[in-house]
Amino acid sequence: MVSERETSGPVELREAVDDEGMRGFVGYNIKRAYIRVQGAAQAALAPFELRVLSFTALSIIGTNPGITPSQLAVLLGMERSNVVAVIDDLMSRDLVSRERLETDRRRFALTMTARGGEVQKAAARAIAEFEGRLVSVLSEEEQATLVRLLNRIEAEGAATKD
Amino acid sequence: MVSERETSGPVELREAVDDEGMRGFVGYNIKRAYIRVQGAAQAALAPFELRVLSFTALSIIGTNPGITPSQLAVLLGMERSNVVAVIDDLMSRDLVSRERLETDRRRFALTMTARGGEVQKAAARAIAEFEGRLVSVLSEEEQATLVRLLNRIEAEGAATKD
DNA sequence: TATTGTTATACTCTATAACTATA
DNA sequence: TATAGTTATAGAGTATAACAATA
């Protein structure tokens, strides 16, 4: 059994360190790139007082008028219970409104307000601009390739899990 | 000014919903793929009672013997203060050990123990297996392309930020 | 009985501020 | 004065369990 230190003598400061050992994991590389893009999105959304999650919820409600909180939870990949606060926040700022379904009074139909549409549109432009500063190091074709490869991994993950 | 609902009459359940409106953002696609791969890594590490962050720290210490907590924090992309608990956990389980630097007694040199090396090796195999179930939908060449494209975005983010 | 929205709660992850010991 | 490690704390993000209203 080897001991914890291979060499003996005084311990010296290691000036150069790196994460090369982790780069073999595809997931690690995805994570690192994700952190950068997430940071850019947060910075872009800050002036609108929106978080990435809130913006995503707002956008999905906008393109899916009448969506219920439960359906939204599935798309956001989170529990129903955690969607409540997101919707409450968007409603309190008049970005989203809701209405009970007459056919099933347990459910609510969510819709984006006119004000919500304006905010969403401006926020989307801001994200595209900030994200573009990073992503534009890739050509349009490379961006399309990247998204296609990522989507295949995501789809396989869904297939494995569900 | 348009009203919140374009159509009038009773609200009906929208059976089909989707997130197509978000797919135009490269970051959204990165995030969704990341969630899948992160989930696979968590599942792979569960038997070892390691979290993704702990495994990453353990691996980096293993390939950078003598690294200090501050240097580790930089590589992990987090604050020094949050590294403390990670190191404490790894040390309490005899996966990592530390020793004060004689040249600067404020700093600690971190090293992986023999036991840590065994656990890291087994955990790395488990992650590679679980991650492989997702990533193997891509050819080796496609995987390399994916990593290369992600790394360029990450590098641009670092350049923009730092 | 089952489902939708909701509340309460806890745990993880992360950032900030302040402390200590060393430099 | 400045830096390394540490502690305390707070804010997001997320999961689980239990409840009321409705089906």
Side-chain angles (χ1 to χ4, degrees), chain A residues 10-106:
Chain A
V11 188
E12 288 174 26
L13 177 63
R14 181 191 192 88
E15 58 290 317
V17 293
D18 66 74
D19 63 353
E20 278 305 307
M22 288 297 298
R23 292 293 174 178
F25 297 105
V26 175
Y28 184 76
N29 296 281
I30 296 179
K31 179 174 186 171
R32 301 300 295 217
Y34 166 64
I35 290 171
R36 298 296 187 192
V37 180
Q38 170 85 356
Q42 283 177 344
L45 291 173
F48 302 94
E49 292 184 304
L50 282 172
R51 308 193 200 151
V52 174
L53 179 60
S54 304
F55 171 77
T56 304
L58 178 61
S59 300
I60 290 178
I61 293 169
T63 53
N64 296 275
I67 189 173
T68 68
S70 285
Q71 289 174 318
L72 182 60
V74 172
L75 287 184
L76 293 176
M78 54 194 289
E79 295 299 314
R80 291 197 312 280
S81 58
N82 293 319
V83 173
V84 177
V86 177
I87 294 175
D88 282 350
D89 174 57
L90 294 174
M91 287 213 317
S92 72
R93 297 159 65 188
D94 192 32
L95 303 178
V96 159
S97 67
R98 67 178 186 183
E99 192 173 349
R100 266 194 202 280
L101 284 174
E102 296 179 1
T103 52
D104 185 344
R105 295 185 51 75
R106 290 175 302 185

Side-chain angles (χ1 to χ4, degrees), chain B residues 42-103:
Chain B
Q42 284 177 342
L45 291 173
F48 302 94
E49 292 183 305
L50 282 172
R51 309 196 195 157
V52 174
L53 179 61
S54 305
F55 171 77
T56 305
L58 177 61
S59 300
I60 290 179
I61 293 169
T63 54
N64 296 275
I67 189 173
T68 68
S70 285
Q71 289 173 318
L72 182 59
V74 172
L75 288 184
L76 292 176
M78 54 194 291
E79 295 300 314
R80 291 197 311 279
S81 58
N82 292 318
V83 173
V84 177
V86 177
I87 295 174
D88 281 351
D89 174 57
L90 294 174
M91 289 212 315
S92 72
R93 296 160 65 188
D94 192 33
L95 302 179
V96 159
S97 67
R98 67 179 187 182
E99 194 173 347
R100 266 194 203 280
L101 284 175
E102 296 179 1
T103 52

Side-chain angles (χ1 to χ4, degrees), chain B residues 8-63:
Chain B
S8 52
V11 188
E12 288 174 27
L13 177 63
R14 180 189 194 87
E15 57 290 318
V17 294
D18 65 74
D19 62 354
E20 278 305 306
M22 288 297 297
R23 292 293 175 178
F25 297 105
V26 175
Y28 184 76
N29 296 281
I30 296 179
K31 179 174 187 173
R32 300 301 296 216
Y34 166 64
I35 290 171
R36 297 297 187 192
V37 180
Q38 170 86 355
Q42 284 177 342
L45 291 173
F48 302 94
E49 292 183 305
L50 282 172
R51 309 196 195 157
V52 174
L53 179 61
S54 305
F55 171 77
T56 305
L58 177 61
S59 300
I60 290 179
I61 293 169
T63 54

